[in-house]
Amino acid sequence: MPPPQSTFTIYDFAASWFFPWRFMIASTTFLPGTLASAVLAGDWRTLLSWNRLQSAWFGRFWGWAGPLVRTSAEENVVPLLEGRVTGGRIVERSAAHARGVGGTVLEIGPGSGNWVSIFSDRYLSSTGSSTSTSGSLSNPNPDAAAAPGSRGKVTRVFGVEPNAGVHAELRAKIVAAGLEDVYEIVPVGIQDLAPSGRVLLESADCIVTVMCLCSIPDPQLNIKELYGYLKPGGRWFVYEHVKCSHSQSWVVGAYQGFMNLIWPPFIGGCELRRDTGKWIKEAGPWSDVDLTAPHGQPWFHVLPHVIGILTK
Ligand SMILES: C[S@@+](CC[C@H](N)C(=O)[O-])C[C@H]1O[C@@H](n2cnc3c(N)ncnc32)[C@H](O)[C@@H]1O
């Protein structure tokens, strides 16, 4: 349970405002190694292309940062994928409205595979999440009948990840989760998903976007494209950092705007000032929209998030 607003201290404030600097400094320490390994490998294509170099640099950095980010984000992301988040609050498994991720899943920007283990059947047995009869492989749409509040059986995952620098680690997480026959890496950006022909429109029971829509090109256009991959009744699980809201002080917004001038090249092209929540809501007609700021998010947060589930 997040602390009530009144318990925030000056330390919390300072930590939040200093966080982008710490992250950028940490990222910078991975640049020399990235350059050195490209030089030693005679990889001139990486050395002469900013996009390639940035991807290789980010891949190395995320190998270190990813697990730390998982530690701080899992208190939100795990309940989200279990369908236990509503109105920005984490609720009990028994909540009648909640259904976790299941069926055919499109995971966008999985990176080094921070959340892959949650798609595994082993996760179902270790948490007691129930698929009941709906979990049987013979059921054509196991997600549709998943028990309320549980994570449904995941039958197929397409991990849309263009950065080849993280594929080895992502593959290792897939193997560790026993998902070799279920999880397929699609090595393109979402802007190239349609031409790749790897995923059909209206074929996904669930889309999962966790801290990745900050990094994609043409976000409004590509978010609309993604909407087209969801089946009617399909659900989009969102945990993304976004631009400061109007309820935050203009000073926080100004600071976020300043940081956004410096931040993107250090963090793989990530942008701080995207109105991702609004763009997802506007991507197409939804039968249910449950997307808002996490409960208890401090007003001074420089990387405020939105969390929730939208149903097509
Ligand atoms: C900050 S990382 C987050 C990774 C992971 N979702 C996590 O929570 O640890 C953002 C990811 O988005 C990926 N990404 C960047 N551009 C993309 C695009 N056009 N399509 C899909 N993924 C993209 C990056 O390669 C990176 O792995």
Side-chain angles (χ1 to χ4, degrees):
M1 176 75 78
Q5 296 262 338
S6 55
T7 64
F8 294 129
T9 63
I10 188 74
Y11 172 81
D12 297 320
F13 181 92
S16 175
W17 278 46
F18 192 55
F19 168 78
W21 294 101
R22 280 176 44 212
F23 219 51
M24 287 189 296
I25 291 166
S27 165
T28 306
T29 64
F30 288 84
L31 182 56
T34 309
L35 289 168
S37 78
V39 169
L40 289 173
D43 183 357
W44 296 106
R45 287 174 70 199
T46 295
L47 290 168
L48 296 174
S49 153
W50 169 243
N51 284 343
R52 281 174 178 276
L53 180 63
Q54 191 181 42
S55 287
W57 175 15
F58 181 77
R60 280 178 171 251
F61 170 56
W62 203 252
W64 171 82
L68 299 177
V69 170
R70 178 178 160 126
T71 302
S72 67
E74 65 188 354
E75 65 178 357
N76 286 312
V77 178
V78 172
L80 173 71
L81 298 182
E82 291 178 342
R84 294 193 298 112
V85 170
T86 184
R89 289 174 185 263
I90 295 162
V91 294
E92 291 303 317
R93 184 175 301 275
S94 57
H97 70 280
R99 258 190 314 139
V101 72
T104 298
V105 178
L106 205 49
E107 187 185 17
I108 308 303
S112 47
N114 260 343
W115 313 107
V116 163
S117 62
I118 298 170
F119 300 133
S120 165
D121 281 358
R122 293 176 196 162
Y123 181 81
L124 286 177
S125 45
S126 69
T127 60
S129 279
S130 159
T131 53
S132 62
T133 52
S134 66
S136 88
L137 284 170
S138 58
N139 188 320
N141 184 5
D143 179 51
S150 70
R151 214 273 282 128
K153 183 177 176 70
V154 172
T155 50
R156 190 96 184 103
V157 188
F158 296 99
V160 181
E161 177 50 70
N163 189 342
V166 294
H167 286 173
E169 206 156 327
L170 175 56
R171 215 167 279 122
K173 297 269 177 47
I174 293 167
V175 172
L179 288 171
E180 299 96 313
D181 298 331
V182 171
Y183 198 114
E184 179 180 337
I185 300 174
V186 182
V188 298
I190 61 174
Q191 66 280 14
D192 296 319
L193 191 54
S196 81
R198 302 275 282 269
V199 184
L200 299 176
L201 289 174
E202 300 209 336
S203 66
D205 295 294
C206 298
I207 291 177
V208 172
T209 55
V210 176
M211 296 178 282
C212 65
L213 299 178
C214 51
S215 305
I216 64 169
D218 299 320
Q220 273 173 281
L221 182 80
N222 284 313
I223 284 170
K224 269 209 168 76
E225 285 270 317
L226 269 180
Y227 176 89
Y229 287 96
L230 264 187
K231 289 177 184 172
R235 288 158 306 127
W236 190 331
F237 295 73
V238 181
Y239 183 68
E240 294 285 344
H241 68 79
V242 292
K243 73 184 275 196
C244 290
S245 69
H246 295 303
S247 61
Q248 297 186 257
S249 161
W250 69 268
V251 181
V252 186
Y255 181 61
Q256 188 190 54
F258 169 68
M259 289 311 309
N260 197 41
L261 298 173
I262 318 166
W263 167 271
F266 290 87
I267 316 292
C270 166
E271 302 236 353
L272 298 175
R273 297 281 292 163
R274 293 192 170 176
D275 214 346
T276 304
K278 177 170 177 279
W279 297 338
I280 298 177
K281 288 176 185 171
E282 291 172 356
W286 297 104
S287 65
D288 188 61
V289 173
D290 187 347
L291 182 66
T292 187
H295 175 65
Q297 178 162 266
W299 62 268
F300 49 78
H301 219 317
V302 187
L303 268 82
H305 284 70
V306 287
I307 188 167
I309 304 168
L310 299 92
T311 308
K312 188 167 178 178

